[in-house]
Amino acid sequence: MTKPAILVTRAIFPEVLQALSQHFDVESNQDDALWGREDLAARLAGKQGAFMTGTEKVDADLLARCPELRICANMTVGYNNFDLAAMSAAGVVGTNAPDVLTETTADFGMALLLATARRITEAEHYLRAGKWTRWTYELFSGAEVHGSTLGILGMGRIGQAIARRAALGFGMRVLYHNRSMLDAATQAQCHASYVDKPTLLRSADHLMLVLPYSAASHHAIGAAELDLMKPTATLINLARGGIVDDAALAQALRDRKIAAAGLDVFEGEPSVHPALLTVPNVVLTPHIASATRATRLAMAELAQQNLVGYLIHGKALTALNDPASAQG
Ligand code: DGY
């Protein structure tokens, strides 16, 4: 029996590739060449499934060129690369990789918050540059983390895991804003209180962004929002580039409208707004919040299980849409 054909768009763990090969005729990209849109469309033609990494744009135009495609499986929890309406209309299911990265990403959120508030990378650069000649009482004094107020914008699984760490580990007061309020039991587990967005911005000593990217959340933090924040506040973006207006943020950091920022994601990444590279009070990391070997492997395995589940057994584990119902 011929195996269904799938495309793996980027380099992945060899063991995941091996597991996929047991079920599928796999075209892979272990050299990790960065394919343009034309390459992607040409390679996807004739494939029933695609293993993706959250950056490949799947829209009506691409789908029209790959009529045999039935599933696109992201190994990321974010899926803003998918036009789900167009996918449903084309009979293609999209899947993501929720849950398996929640705790690891929340750990990183706290690490980035601590590094930013306590100026760790700035201080290390100073030391490495040979500028440290003596202890002084104010050398790299930063902002208090324990006992301060954490604002969380977006209170999904990752936001909740950060809230628990902040409240229980660091004795922080946790406020959040989200499209909808958590139910009372979940809110109590998170030790968090719901507030409106302006109140969140005005009250937070540290503001953590963990909301999904969509047209509605584009530039959710821009000049007007930064103006509402405390001049002593820090801003952490773990979510997606485009949620923050990076140009406005660089200006706010330069003008000391807020004290510091920690950014793991960027508008147009892997390019970083040049102004952000010139301000000292920002910690920059290359989209690594979920990057431990165990977690990235679990994410890839979930994408693999979605492909096998859907193309071999007829059911995806973490489907984002239901093409059958869309086609009525
Ligand atoms: C995700 O899963 O969406 C992360 O941003 C990738 O690490």
Side-chain angles (χ1 to χ4, degrees):
M1 209 176 81
T2 52
K3 295 175 177 173
I6 67 160
L7 180 69
V8 178
T9 60
R10 298 287 307 278
I12 55 158
F13 297 93
E15 55 266 52
V16 171
L17 214 46
Q18 174 63 31
L20 287 168
S21 308
Q22 288 172 17
H23 302 276
F24 304 117
D25 180 7
V26 180
E27 179 178 342
S28 62
N29 180 13
Q30 285 304 79
D31 291 340
D32 214 22
L34 285 178
W35 296 334
R37 229 172 131 64
E38 288 306 312
D39 297 314
L40 181 64
R43 289 171 193 276
L44 266 182
K47 306 289 192 303
Q48 282 99 67
F51 181 114
M52 296 183 153
T53 58
T55 50
E56 307 81 351
K57 194 168 164 206
V58 180
D59 57 12
D61 170 58
L62 183 81
L63 292 163
R65 298 160 74 181
C66 316
E68 288 166 57
L69 195 61
R70 295 180 52 215
I71 174 170
C72 294
N74 267 354
M75 68 168 275
T76 53
V77 67
Y79 54 88
N80 52 299
N81 58 320
F82 291 162
D83 178 341
L84 286 177
M87 290 169 75
S88 294
V92 175
V93 74
T95 65
N96 68 337
D99 298 321
V100 289
L101 78 179
T102 300
E103 301 300 328
T104 300
T105 304
D107 287 348
F108 189 85
M110 293 311 292
L112 196 51
L113 167 54
L114 288 164
T116 305
R118 299 300 307 274
R119 306 175 62 187
I120 288 176
T121 57
E122 212 183 329
E124 184 183 351
H125 291 149
Y126 172 90
L127 182 152
R128 284 180 187 272
K131 294 180 183 168
W132 187 31
T133 54
R134 57 190 165 155
W135 182 94
T136 66
Y137 73 93
E138 60 185 354
L139 188 63
F140 288 106
S141 67
E144 213 70 88
V145 173
H146 76 273
S148 65
T149 297
L150 176 66
I152 301 180
L153 188 56
M155 198 61 156
R157 287 166 284 232
I158 297 171
Q160 292 169 32
I162 289 169
R164 290 192 300 271
R165 282 160 173 75
L168 300 173
F170 290 86
M172 297 172 89
R173 177 169 80 117
V174 180
L175 306 176
Y176 76 96
H177 181 74
N178 198 36
R179 271 173 309 185
S180 51
M181 257 175 93
L182 298 177
D183 63 75
T186 311
Q187 194 167 279
Q189 275 165 13
C190 293
H191 304 265
S193 310
Y194 182 88
V195 292
D196 62 35
K197 187 175 165 187
T199 304
L200 188 83
L201 297 172
R202 286 195 191 96
S203 314
D205 295 312
H206 308 287
L207 179 67
M208 183 86 69
L209 307 179
V210 270
L211 65 168
Y213 180 80
S214 67
S217 63
H218 181 74
H219 286 188
I221 301 293
E225 289 76 18
L226 291 161
D227 269 346
L228 292 181
M229 292 176 66
K230 298 180 183 180
T232 50
T234 62
L235 172 74
I236 308 298
N237 188 7
L238 281 191
R240 273 290 179 274
I243 288 175
V244 175
D245 176 343
D246 284 350
L249 174 61
Q251 192 60 48
L253 288 166
R254 193 177 294 122
D255 298 345
R256 302 278 166 173
K257 288 201 164 155
I258 65 169
L263 307 173
D264 187 48
V265 288
F266 305 87
E267 280 189 288
E269 63 183 55
S271 296
V272 175
H273 194 292
L276 285 173
L277 298 173
T278 63
V279 280
N281 45 341
V282 59
V283 178
L284 307 168
T285 53
H287 203 145
I288 56 168
S290 63
T292 64
R293 189 179 195 282
T295 292
R296 285 278 164 90
L297 182 59
M299 293 160 70
E301 284 174 346
L302 185 47
Q304 164 215 319
Q305 288 157 8
N306 271 313
L307 286 162
V308 174
Y310 196 64
L311 291 177
I312 307 294
H313 306 298
K315 190 166 167 44
L317 274 68
T318 56
L320 295 162
N321 61 333
D322 180 4
S325 73
Q327 291 176 342

